[in-house]
Amino acid sequence: MFTPLVIINRRLTTAARCKRRVVVTGMGIVCPLGIGVQNAWQALINSKSGITKLTNPEYDKLPCKVATEEALNDANWKPNNETDKRDTGVAVGIGMIDLIDVCTTYEALKKGYNKVSPYFVPRILTNMAAGQISIKYGLRGPNHSVSTACATGAHAIGDAFRFIRGGETSVMICGGAEACISPLAIAAFCRLRALSTNKNDFPYEASRPFDKDRDGFVMGEGAAILVLEELNHALERNANIYAEVLGYGLSGDATHLTAPSEDGTGAILAMDRAVKDAGIETVEITFINAHATSTPLGDGIELKAIESFMGQHSKNVTVSSTKGAHGHLLGAAGNLEAVFTILAIKESVIPPTLNLHNLDTETSLNFAPNIKKNWNTTSRRVALKNAFGFGGTNACLCFAQYNE
């Protein structure tokens, strides 16, 4: 029998406050599993790993403009008239700025004031990804940026969802990007004892969510962008609909700079608020794409939080973490994994958790260790996507199969 960690009032008193429905009509990906949504998705469900060993301190940035272009093409939405441009906004964030760029610029300053690039400040501002997208495509709707550590991408999607549902705009380009791998960043996370170090010679085995031999996360880079759209707007132009966004929940752990609250309160509150926002019951949820980064502490707490929240329904819920295949993309994690959650809904397939061989938590939850699972359900497919960040910031998104 499970013991609830936190008692939650399940009355749907905060159910969706607006009738405007929001759907996903376009997606784009640049990530360790590949460039392009289908390339990355096929690699994931075929149990391939995109994690490799770092052999050179230099790296190529993975600009979010590549994923944005794919998402807009996928949605067939590149507005030309002024009305449509004003009705399309952007919500894209990053988790961290480029630390090496800061250090290099400081060294340049020592050689002289004129050695500092006039583009230095625009390069390190966290809202510039959203700004660049808005400028490139002439989008004059809400221009919004999120920077909430590893919850950035999920918060960006959730905020975009609320902009549309609340009537501020009809279309939002949203997600996150991250390109911060450098010797300094690696050293800093190692000093936090956050990174995996036991599998340096076998990198594809290093990220192992929920497995008893996990010893930390593997840093990844990339971008994932989604096009969210008000339902009637999408139907009027006969857009392809991947899934529906039902709800969004946020919370704070109020506990520690880097560690989650031990009783899982923050995770439970975020999931509860997302489900209440969606106006559904927990029994409708049968898949959860976990945040699970492969850290000894975090993965176990999240599983206990999920089981506490789902209660007796836990036996009908499958939990997976795709980070086993692509590592942890920090500020681009929640949005990349949201894309995989949406594809899981669309194709009725639950992606695997790679390197999960020995679960170290007693639980009635179900898993998809190392190979994909068919998502069998007698009702519509409904999923949650969790994302948590340093500072105790939490986000949860609720997606569902689109039904007319």
PDB file of all heavy atoms in Angstrom, residues 241-258:
ATOM      1  N   ILE A 241      -3.005  18.623 -36.532  1.00  0.00           N
ATOM      2  CA  ILE A 241      -3.020  18.726 -35.069  1.00  0.00           C
ATOM      3  C   ILE A 241      -2.374  17.488 -34.464  1.00  0.00           C
ATOM      4  O   ILE A 241      -2.836  16.367 -34.684  1.00  0.00           O
ATOM      5  CB  ILE A 241      -4.456  18.902 -34.541  1.00  0.00           C
ATOM      6  CG1 ILE A 241      -5.031  20.231 -35.037  1.00  0.00           C
ATOM      7  CG2 ILE A 241      -4.481  18.843 -33.013  1.00  0.00           C
ATOM      8  CD1 ILE A 241      -6.494  20.451 -34.665  1.00  0.00           C
ATOM      9  N   TYR A 242      -1.295  17.684 -33.704  1.00  0.00           N
ATOM     10  CA  TYR A 242      -0.598  16.583 -33.050  1.00  0.00           C
ATOM     11  C   TYR A 242      -1.280  16.166 -31.753  1.00  0.00           C
ATOM     12  O   TYR A 242      -1.414  14.974 -31.463  1.00  0.00           O
ATOM     13  CB  TYR A 242       0.842  16.991 -32.722  1.00  0.00           C
ATOM     14  CG  TYR A 242       1.773  17.021 -33.900  1.00  0.00           C
ATOM     15  CD1 TYR A 242       2.083  18.220 -34.532  1.00  0.00           C
ATOM     16  CD2 TYR A 242       2.369  15.856 -34.377  1.00  0.00           C
ATOM     17  CE1 TYR A 242       2.953  18.260 -35.613  1.00  0.00           C
ATOM     18  CE2 TYR A 242       3.237  15.879 -35.456  1.00  0.00           C
ATOM     19  CZ  TYR A 242       3.528  17.087 -36.073  1.00  0.00           C
ATOM     20  OH  TYR A 242       4.386  17.123 -37.136  1.00  0.00           O
ATOM     21  N   ALA A 243      -1.657  17.141 -30.944  1.00  0.00           N
ATOM     22  CA  ALA A 243      -2.230  16.864 -29.627  1.00  0.00           C
ATOM     23  C   ALA A 243      -2.821  18.154 -29.082  1.00  0.00           C
ATOM     24  O   ALA A 243      -2.667  19.236 -29.675  1.00  0.00           O
ATOM     25  CB  ALA A 243      -1.161  16.329 -28.677  1.00  0.00           C
ATOM     26  N   GLU A 244      -3.497  18.029 -27.968  1.00  0.00           N
ATOM     27  CA  GLU A 244      -4.081  19.191 -27.312  1.00  0.00           C
ATOM     28  C   GLU A 244      -3.356  19.459 -25.993  1.00  0.00           C
ATOM     29  O   GLU A 244      -2.981  18.515 -25.288  1.00  0.00           O
ATOM     30  CB  GLU A 244      -5.565  18.965 -27.049  1.00  0.00           C
ATOM     31  CG  GLU A 244      -6.276  20.163 -26.429  1.00  0.00           C
ATOM     32  CD  GLU A 244      -7.783  20.020 -26.378  1.00  0.00           C
ATOM     33  OE1 GLU A 244      -8.300  18.963 -26.808  1.00  0.00           O
ATOM     34  OE2 GLU A 244      -8.453  20.963 -25.904  1.00  0.00           O
ATOM     35  N   VAL A 245      -3.137  20.722 -25.689  1.00  0.00           N
ATOM     36  CA  VAL A 245      -2.583  21.106 -24.389  1.00  0.00           C
ATOM     37  C   VAL A 245      -3.762  21.341 -23.452  1.00  0.00           C
ATOM     38  O   VAL A 245      -4.589  22.217 -23.701  1.00  0.00           O
ATOM     39  CB  VAL A 245      -1.721  22.381 -24.478  1.00  0.00           C
ATOM     40  CG1 VAL A 245      -0.999  22.620 -23.154  1.00  0.00           C
ATOM     41  CG2 VAL A 245      -0.730  22.296 -25.621  1.00  0.00           C
ATOM     42  N   LEU A 246      -3.838  20.555 -22.382  1.00  0.00           N
ATOM     43  CA  LEU A 246      -4.978  20.661 -21.475  1.00  0.00           C
ATOM     44  C   LEU A 246      -4.705  21.512 -20.257  1.00  0.00           C
ATOM     45  O   LEU A 246      -5.597  22.225 -19.774  1.00  0.00           O
ATOM     46  CB  LEU A 246      -5.410  19.269 -21.004  1.00  0.00           C
ATOM     47  CG  LEU A 246      -5.978  18.298 -22.032  1.00  0.00           C
ATOM     48  CD1 LEU A 246      -6.461  17.037 -21.326  1.00  0.00           C
ATOM     49  CD2 LEU A 246      -7.104  18.926 -22.830  1.00  0.00           C
ATOM     50  N   GLY A 247      -3.498  21.432 -19.703  1.00  0.00           N
ATOM     51  CA  GLY A 247      -3.259  22.121 -18.450  1.00  0.00           C
ATOM     52  C   GLY A 247      -1.790  22.387 -18.173  1.00  0.00           C
ATOM     53  O   GLY A 247      -0.901  21.815 -18.814  1.00  0.00           O
ATOM     54  N   TYR A 248      -1.558  23.243 -17.188  1.00  0.00           N
ATOM     55  CA  TYR A 248      -0.210  23.700 -16.837  1.00  0.00           C
ATOM     56  C   TYR A 248      -0.183  24.003 -15.358  1.00  0.00           C
ATOM     57  O   TYR A 248      -1.052  24.715 -14.834  1.00  0.00           O
ATOM     58  CB  TYR A 248       0.090  24.950 -17.667  1.00  0.00           C
ATOM     59  CG  TYR A 248       1.336  25.735 -17.347  1.00  0.00           C
ATOM     60  CD1 TYR A 248       2.558  25.125 -17.080  1.00  0.00           C
ATOM     61  CD2 TYR A 248       1.296  27.137 -17.363  1.00  0.00           C
ATOM     62  CE1 TYR A 248       3.690  25.880 -16.838  1.00  0.00           C
ATOM     63  CE2 TYR A 248       2.430  27.898 -17.135  1.00  0.00           C
ATOM     64  CZ  TYR A 248       3.627  27.272 -16.866  1.00  0.00           C
ATOM     65  OH  TYR A 248       4.764  28.015 -16.636  1.00  0.00           O
ATOM     66  N   GLY A 249       0.799  23.441 -14.656  1.00  0.00           N
ATOM     67  CA  GLY A 249       0.924  23.688 -13.232  1.00  0.00           C
ATOM     68  C   GLY A 249       2.333  24.083 -12.836  1.00  0.00           C
ATOM     69  O   GLY A 249       3.304  23.579 -13.412  1.00  0.00           O
ATOM     70  N   LEU A 250       2.465  24.976 -11.876  1.00  0.00           N
ATOM     71  CA  LEU A 250       3.762  25.440 -11.381  1.00  0.00           C
ATOM     72  C   LEU A 250       3.797  25.336  -9.865  1.00  0.00           C
ATOM     73  O   LEU A 250       2.754  25.390  -9.209  1.00  0.00           O
ATOM     74  CB  LEU A 250       4.031  26.898 -11.774  1.00  0.00           C
ATOM     75  CG  LEU A 250       3.885  27.360 -13.209  1.00  0.00           C
ATOM     76  CD1 LEU A 250       2.444  27.728 -13.527  1.00  0.00           C
ATOM     77  CD2 LEU A 250       4.776  28.569 -13.471  1.00  0.00           C
ATOM     78  N   SER A 251       5.007  25.226  -9.325  1.00  0.00           N
ATOM     79  CA  SER A 251       5.159  25.236  -7.873  1.00  0.00           C
ATOM     80  C   SER A 251       6.597  25.563  -7.508  1.00  0.00           C
ATOM     81  O   SER A 251       7.480  25.585  -8.362  1.00  0.00           O
ATOM     82  CB  SER A 251       4.775  23.872  -7.271  1.00  0.00           C
ATOM     83  OG  SER A 251       5.789  22.915  -7.542  1.00  0.00           O
ATOM     84  N   GLY A 252       6.810  25.779  -6.228  1.00  0.00           N
ATOM     85  CA  GLY A 252       8.152  25.977  -5.692  1.00  0.00           C
ATOM     86  C   GLY A 252       8.394  25.012  -4.551  1.00  0.00           C
ATOM     87  O   GLY A 252       7.497  24.746  -3.743  1.00  0.00           O
ATOM     88  N   ASP A 253       9.619  24.472  -4.489  1.00  0.00           N
ATOM     89  CA  ASP A 253       9.958  23.561  -3.389  1.00  0.00           C
ATOM     90  C   ASP A 253      10.162  24.306  -2.073  1.00  0.00           C
ATOM     91  O   ASP A 253       9.869  23.781  -0.996  1.00  0.00           O
ATOM     92  CB  ASP A 253      11.242  22.791  -3.716  1.00  0.00           C
ATOM     93  CG  ASP A 253      11.024  21.681  -4.724  1.00  0.00           C
ATOM     94  OD1 ASP A 253       9.928  21.100  -4.738  1.00  0.00           O
ATOM     95  OD2 ASP A 253      11.950  21.392  -5.491  1.00  0.00           O
ATOM     96  N   ALA A 254      10.714  25.521  -2.182  1.00  0.00           N
ATOM     97  CA  ALA A 254      11.002  26.321  -0.984  1.00  0.00           C
ATOM     98  C   ALA A 254      11.867  25.542   0.003  1.00  0.00           C
ATOM     99  O   ALA A 254      11.634  25.568   1.211  1.00  0.00           O
ATOM    100  CB  ALA A 254       9.701  26.776  -0.314  1.00  0.00           C
ATOM    101  N   THR A 255      12.881  24.844  -0.542  1.00  0.00           N
ATOM    102  CA  THR A 255      13.677  23.953   0.308  1.00  0.00           C
ATOM    103  C   THR A 255      15.174  24.183   0.203  1.00  0.00           C
ATOM    104  O   THR A 255      15.850  24.409   1.197  1.00  0.00           O
ATOM    105  CB  THR A 255      13.376  22.483  -0.060  1.00  0.00           C
ATOM    106  OG1 THR A 255      11.991  22.237   0.145  1.00  0.00           O
ATOM    107  CG2 THR A 255      14.197  21.526   0.807  1.00  0.00           C
ATOM    108  N   HIS A 256      15.731  24.125  -1.016  1.00  0.00           N
ATOM    109  CA  HIS A 256      17.178  24.066  -1.187  1.00  0.00           C
ATOM    110  C   HIS A 256      17.553  24.635  -2.547  1.00  0.00           C
ATOM    111  O   HIS A 256      16.747  24.630  -3.487  1.00  0.00           O
ATOM    112  CB  HIS A 256      17.633  22.608  -1.067  1.00  0.00           C
ATOM    113  CG  HIS A 256      19.113  22.419  -0.966  1.00  0.00           C
ATOM    114  ND1 HIS A 256      19.912  22.265  -2.076  1.00  0.00           N
ATOM    115  CD2 HIS A 256      19.942  22.339   0.107  1.00  0.00           C
ATOM    116  CE1 HIS A 256      21.167  22.106  -1.694  1.00  0.00           C
ATOM    117  NE2 HIS A 256      21.217  22.153  -0.378  1.00  0.00           N
ATOM    118  N   LEU A 257      18.803  25.086  -2.678  1.00  0.00           N
ATOM    119  CA  LEU A 257      19.259  25.646  -3.957  1.00  0.00           C
ATOM    120  C   LEU A 257      19.246  24.633  -5.088  1.00  0.00           C
ATOM    121  O   LEU A 257      18.886  24.950  -6.227  1.00  0.00           O
ATOM    122  CB  LEU A 257      20.679  26.211  -3.808  1.00  0.00           C
ATOM    123  CG  LEU A 257      20.834  27.503  -3.031  1.00  0.00           C
ATOM    124  CD1 LEU A 257      22.312  27.851  -2.893  1.00  0.00           C
ATOM    125  CD2 LEU A 257      20.098  28.636  -3.731  1.00  0.00           C
ATOM    126  N   THR A 258      19.666  23.401  -4.808  1.00  0.00           N
ATOM    127  CA  THR A 258      19.803  22.406  -5.874  1.00  0.00           C
ATOM    128  C   THR A 258      19.013  21.127  -5.647  1.00  0.00           C
ATOM    129  O   THR A 258      18.726  20.414  -6.610  1.00  0.00           O
ATOM    130  CB  THR A 258      21.284  22.018  -6.062  1.00  0.00           C
ATOM    131  OG1 THR A 258      21.797  21.494  -4.829  1.00  0.00           O
ATOM    132  CG2 THR A 258      22.108  23.230  -6.475  1.00  0.00           C
TER     133      THR A 258
END
